[in-house]
Amino acid sequence: MSQWRGQFEDNPELEAALDKVERWYHVPVLLALFGFMLWNRVRSWQNFIVDGEVLFSGNDPWYHYRSTVYTVQNWPATMPFDPWTRFPIGASPGQFGTLFDQVAATIALIVGLGSPSENTIAMVALFFPAVIGTLAMIPMYVMGRRLAGRLGGVTAALVLALSAGAFLGRSLVGTFDHHVAEAFLQTIAVLGMMVAISAADRDKPVFEQFADRDIDALRSTVLWSVLTGFAIATYLWTWPPGVLIVGILGTFFLLRLIIEFVRGQSPEHTAIVGTIALATTGVLTLASMDTLTVNATRHSLLQPALAFAVAGGCAFMAWLARYFERESLDATLYPVTVFGIIGVIAGIASVATPGLFNFLVDNILRVIGFSVSPTAGTVGEAQPLDPASLYPRYGLTVFIAAIGVIAIVAEQFLASDPDGEELLVAVWGVFLLAATFTQGRFDYYLVFPIAAITGLLIGRLVSWVDLSGDGDIAPYEVLTVVSLLVVVVAPLLVVAPTPMDYGGTAGPGQGIENWDDSLQWMEGNTPAVGTYDSGGEQSLDYYGTYKNREDFDYQTGDYGVLSWWDYGHWITTRAERIPNANPFQQGTDVAANFLLAQNESEANDVLETYDEDDARTQYVAVDWKMTQVKAGRGYGGKFFAPPQFDEDSNQSDYYRPIVAESGNYFFNYRTQDYYNSTVVRLYEFHGSAVSPQPIVVDWEASTVNGQARRIPAETPLRTFPNMSAARDYVQQDGTAQVGGVGMVPGERVSALEHYRYVGSSNRTAYESSEHNRATLTEAQGLGLPARPVNGTCGANQTSAPISGTNYCTPDQVANVMHRNSPTWTKIFERVPGATIEGSGPANTTVQVAVPMRNTQTNETFTYRQTVQTDDSGNFETTVPYSTTGYDEYGPAEGHTNVSVRADGPYRFRAITVQNRSLTPVSGTTQVTEGQVIGENETASTVELTGPQTSQTVSTGSLSPAAVPADS
């Protein structure tokens, strides 16, 4: 701008105006960017108000809300232990109930004048992440300005404001999670370290000045180092697993001290910064420990120990540098010595403390090892980020930042006095890039080093524009500046206005909205915790204070609700019930083993292993996603996840892929283990017995790119007139299977006797585009027709693979695929069951059936079972559904107000063979609610009588045992 002023020396007013523009242009630009960032993050806030309540998106925000409400009621204390999750053990909140929740609680107390309502707290929580995300522009601007002046700062702020990466998604209204605070506070910590390093570079303090108490010479370095240590501790108070920042800083100091010494400079002043800053962090995190173990997810010994280790390492490297100088040793041996010592220490640690050593290595690899474990792979945010997705999120700034890092590294080798702040930002960026390619969750950090380095490079390029040296700016130079800004801004403008992309949402999402009414049903129609089977008052205070312990002592009437871990926080906060598993990934083994159990006895054993004498798991909550296999993009299936947590299971035990050679479509056919799994028997069959049907999935063996594959046969789905014909075809073909499509098993699935369907959500899975897309893709893989044939869509109408989008309707396709359970979420109760005793023909299979109706959704189904009579014609069976007496029991009595009720009595039917005739016999009986829940231990009775009709058999001889069970 000084060149411009030189052209207007005869116009003082214009020169003064230009001077003001030069000094203040960044202020209106930053205000505009600040306003845009806030608007872009809060504009969808009304979508999160549903029926007058705030609904957060995702899972973790709900537990943060619970932690915040607790802190409001017990300010400033956070929850030490929570018995309202991970039944029957309870859990420490760990990385929840940290500084993030304390700050939100404090704001809520201020807004609510000391006594905020839960709605006030929820509204504060709704906007809190958007405000933090917007405030992040301030340290971003300051960091860019330190690297490349005001233009560098404005450029960095511009990149942050317009980037559509994960940080945008994590800082929207409704995403009340610590992620946004993590990124914000880590950036402040790095910025603080930059300032401390700059102060040390300027003042060049040495350790002797501390002994001499040279306060004036030390003041600036010590002050900024202490503040930086406090900033790092603040970050770790918010997210204990953030100890990665200590490793980043340790790597920086290792490189910086080596570079300075090899360059012939004393590294002591830099070492002083590292020693003071990390020692301060160590002291502050030591004070906040809640466990004396080494734990990466809690305030443990890990955080202060690593901080003290880096502080001690900095002090040691400074001493070692002095030793080299005193002994006149070759400076090039310094890095060799340092790395040798590190190697020796690592070797000793691996032998002396192998457990601790392996723990550290495993956690390092988990964060920056470019690989993910099978169990971590079930978590969306732990998936590695596809490098190809960086450009859509950050435009050309990705490449600009990469060039900037290369330039910084080159400068460290070529410059006589390379800049320490720049090296710090480069190391920070490289670590975060590695972390992001290992776990996509770290993408919300990555935008900050990208923006800072982009600001650095653009600022430098612009400062080099005036090549003429005569004070005049040529037109091509102006065009150069404009072109640089366009290169940065233009790609970002394409993606910036869409907060729904790349992790953000414009509302709470289908998950919580479709689960919420079932959770509200659970809260209102099941007994309060502590009152199961007895009634009375709730035993656990929902926001009570409980001492930290390893295993909570639950009392009689307390009970758990089993579901997949994704839904645990919703069960705690919306139903006020205790989940067995939660998004802390606690209880996942229990949930996985139960959901995959192959028979009822095995499922009961899983629960009884963890149940206590006076507290049991009484309910199971499942949704359609838990039975949907994960087949590819667009699927919301979760069945793939439990096998990752079951040591005795593999995905291939439950479903196997058929993949087209062209890759245009695919299909997963199910094995019998899939249909025998408890989660499928509950959600899809409601505990009823299910028989196979004469439907065959057919494929061909092929080798593609050297790998054996199953590819679809010309007719992938075949139907036959009877089961014998279907099994004969499978035996002869060799690459086919009876059943395995939709909800058609290849073998009979027996009935459950102690689990009953009691309530549900009011929403159907058909309302979900995910469900419809999954079902349609499955149908497409089997070659079902895109258009109805003769006005219908049927499984016997096979054709070439579908192309285009004119499919049969979702209801029609779902019928083809035998998905007869459209309700989104279903609640099941574990009951003793009622005994039915009966008599009929000897050695005969008796069919048992009762028609059921869900009064919430009008959904109907028939519970079926079979039982065999003995030599005397007697039989006994246990059934989970009652037919009468519903109004006698409810939550006040410690039982369930069931919404799924019978439309009639139990019906019994058998067929005898007498004189070459099939003679049916039948009977009915009622089962009371008291009998099912164990309040009435008497058995219902039934006598099968007949004949009603007879059918003469023309050939052959029949015996009672020869009559098919499901005939």
Side-chain angles (χ1 to χ4, degrees), residues 245-267:
I245 187 63
V246 179
I248 293 172
L249 294 175
T251 302
F252 161 73
F253 282 112
L254 176 66
L255 297 176
R256 179 63 177 171
L257 295 175
I258 289 174
I259 290 171
E260 286 184 315
F261 186 76
V262 171
R263 288 287 180 186
Q265 300 174 2
S266 171

Side-chain angles (χ1 to χ4, degrees), residues 71-73 75 104-116 120-121 124:
T71 302
V72 166
Q73 296 181 3
W75 193 88
T106 302
I107 294 172
L109 284 166
I110 295 171
V111 173
L113 302 179
S115 183
T120 298
I121 300 171
V124 169

Side-chain angles (χ1 to χ4, degrees), residues 584-875:
F584 304 151
Q585 287 203 343
Q586 296 169 333
T588 51
D589 53 343
V590 182
N593 292 337
F594 175 86
L595 295 172
L596 297 176
Q598 293 292 291
N599 56 66
E600 187 167 18
S601 176
E602 181 183 341
N604 289 335
D605 287 345
V606 171
L607 297 183
E608 288 167 5
T609 299
Y610 294 92
D611 283 345
E612 299 181 352
D613 294 337
D614 43 15
R616 290 163 40 96
T617 297
Q618 297 293 166
Y619 295 92
V620 181
V622 293
D623 69 356
W624 71 270
K625 290 187 175 186
M626 293 167 65
T627 65
Q628 178 63 57
V629 298
K630 184 177 183 180
R633 294 178 66 89
Y635 272 68
K638 293 182 182 290
F639 190 91
F640 80 99
Q644 306 296 339
F645 293 87
D646 185 350
E647 293 181 355
D648 299 324
S649 295
N650 295 299
Q651 289 183 4
S652 60
D653 295 335
Y654 305 98
Y655 60 92
R656 297 166 188 169
I658 298 175
V659 182
E661 290 186 85
S662 64
N664 290 336
Y665 67 93
F666 51 84
F667 169 70
N668 281 313
Y669 70 90
R670 284 86 160 168
T671 68
Q672 188 61 28
D673 283 355
Y674 169 84
Y675 296 101
N676 286 338
S677 66
T678 302
V679 63
V680 172
R681 296 169 78 180
L682 289 174
Y683 181 86
E684 299 290 353
F685 306 147
H686 307 119
S688 175
V690 178
S691 297
Q693 298 182 32
I695 296 177
V696 170
V697 177
D698 199 0
W699 66 86
E700 296 177 359
S702 178
T703 301
V704 180
N705 297 326
Q707 294 184 342
R709 285 187 181 178
R710 303 176 187 89
I711 62 173
E714 183 177 354
T715 305
L717 187 64
R718 297 175 180 271
T719 60
F720 294 84
N722 54 59
M723 289 298 301
S724 296
R727 297 195 189 282
D728 287 345
Y729 176 84
V730 169
Q731 185 174 8
Q732 295 173 10
D733 182 78
T735 55
Q737 172 184 288
V738 175
V741 54
M743 289 305 121
V744 181
E747 300 173 13
R748 180 178 174 80
V749 178
S750 61
L752 300 177
E753 297 180 346
H754 300 284
Y755 296 87
R756 63 172 180 173
Y757 182 22
V758 292
S760 70
S761 60
N762 295 320
R763 295 173 181 257
T764 67
Y766 294 153
E767 297 176 40
S768 164
S769 60
E770 277 186 298
H771 174 275
N772 296 341
R773 188 163 57 247
T775 305
L776 291 170
T777 304
E778 184 176 45
Q780 180 182 9
L782 288 170
L784 296 178
R787 289 184 172 83
V789 178
N790 298 325
T792 62
C793 286
N796 61 336
Q797 299 163 359
T798 57
S799 69
I802 296 173
S803 61
T805 58
N806 190 16
Y807 301 109
C808 300
T809 66
D811 284 347
Q812 290 170 320
V813 172
N815 183 58
V816 172
M817 306 310 296
H818 299 266
R819 297 194 66 84
N820 54 7
S821 303
T823 303
W824 190 286
T825 307
K826 299 182 180 181
I827 311 298
F828 295 83
E829 183 181 14
R830 179 184 174 196
V831 293
T835 301
I836 300 178
E837 298 174 349
S839 61
N843 301 315
T844 301
T845 299
V846 178
Q847 296 181 27
V848 185
V850 60
M852 304 296 299
R853 179 182 299 276
N854 184 341
T855 59
Q856 292 176 265
T857 62
N858 214 32
E859 170 192 13
T860 61
F861 66 95
T862 299
Y863 172 80
R864 302 179 188 278
Q865 192 189 103
T866 60
V867 61
Q868 194 77 15
T869 61
D870 60 18
D871 293 341
S872 302
N874 298 321
F875 67 88

Side-chain angles (χ1 to χ4, degrees), residues 292-296 300-303 305-306 309 345-365:
L292 293 177
T293 61
V294 176
N295 190 307
S300 69
L301 281 171
L302 180 64
Q303 292 83 8
L306 287 181
I345 292 174
I348 294 174
S350 66
V351 175
T353 57
L356 177 61
F357 180 81
N358 291 332
F359 168 83
L360 294 175
V361 171
D362 289 344
N363 276 275
I364 291 171
L365 294 177

Side-chain angles (χ1 to χ4, degrees), residues 328-634:
S328 300
L329 298 177
D330 187 350
T332 58
L333 294 177
Y334 182 76
V336 176
T337 305
V338 170
F339 284 111
I341 292 172
I342 293 174
V344 170
I345 292 174
I348 294 174
S350 66
V351 175
T353 57
L356 177 61
F357 180 81
N358 291 332
F359 168 83
L360 294 175
V361 171
D362 289 344
N363 276 275
I364 291 171
L365 294 177
R366 185 174 62 85
V367 176
I368 57 172
F370 299 98
S371 63
V372 62
S373 68
T375 54
T378 65
V379 184
E381 65 181 26
Q383 300 288 335
L385 185 71
D386 182 0
S389 66
L390 288 177
Y391 177 76
R393 300 175 185 224
Y394 304 116
L396 294 176
T397 60
V398 172
F399 305 104
I400 296 172
I403 294 171
V405 170
I406 294 172
I408 291 171
V409 173
E411 185 181 67
Q412 299 299 312
F413 288 97
L414 301 176
S416 59
D417 187 17
D419 189 277
E421 295 185 52
E422 293 178 7
L423 178 63
L424 172 59
V425 174
V427 171
W428 183 40
V430 170
F431 264 87
L432 292 184
L433 185 65
T436 301
F437 286 161
T438 304
Q439 294 187 32
R441 73 186 305 278
F442 291 100
D443 181 37
Y444 53 80
Y445 287 95
L446 188 59
V447 65
F448 291 93
I450 285 178
I453 298 172
T454 299
L456 166 65
L457 197 61
I458 295 299
R460 283 196 175 180
L461 289 174
V462 170
S463 69
W464 295 339
V465 163
D466 184 14
L467 304 177
S468 62
D470 57 5
D472 294 328
I473 297 181
Y476 78 88
E477 295 173 335
V478 176
L479 290 176
T480 302
V481 175
V482 173
S483 298
L484 286 172
L485 293 176
V486 169
V487 165
V488 172
V489 174
L492 295 175
L493 288 176
V494 176
V495 294
T498 56
M500 288 178 289
D501 293 339
Y502 314 112
T505 61
Q510 285 187 330
I512 182 60
E513 288 191 271
N514 289 309
W515 266 77
D516 198 52
D517 54 356
S518 64
L519 299 172
Q520 299 306 306
W521 180 92
M522 187 184 296
E523 183 181 22
N525 293 277
T526 63
V529 172
T531 70
Y532 193 91
D533 203 31
S534 61
E537 298 294 328
Q538 178 171 303
S539 60
L540 292 176
D541 184 355
Y542 185 63
Y543 285 116
T545 300
Y546 299 90
K547 292 182 179 179
N548 201 349
R549 65 197 77 185
E550 293 297 324
D551 193 349
F552 190 77
D553 183 20
Y554 290 93
Q555 303 300 308
T556 301
D558 294 337
Y559 63 89
V561 178
L562 188 137
S563 189
W564 191 230
W565 63 262
D566 293 17
Y567 308 117
H569 293 339
W570 295 350
I571 293 170
T572 297
T573 57
R574 299 300 290 172
E576 296 192 8
R577 299 297 183 262
I578 312 174
N580 294 68
N582 57 42
F584 304 151
Q585 287 203 343
Q586 296 169 333
T588 51
D589 53 343
V590 182
N593 292 337
F594 175 86
L595 295 172
L596 297 176
Q598 293 292 291
N599 56 66
E600 187 167 18
S601 176
E602 181 183 341
N604 289 335
D605 287 345
V606 171
L607 297 183
E608 288 167 5
T609 299
Y610 294 92
D611 283 345
E612 299 181 352
D613 294 337
D614 43 15
R616 290 163 40 96
T617 297
Q618 297 293 166
Y619 295 92
V620 181
V622 293
D623 69 356
W624 71 270
K625 290 187 175 186
M626 293 167 65
T627 65
Q628 178 63 57
V629 298
K630 184 177 183 180
R633 294 178 66 89

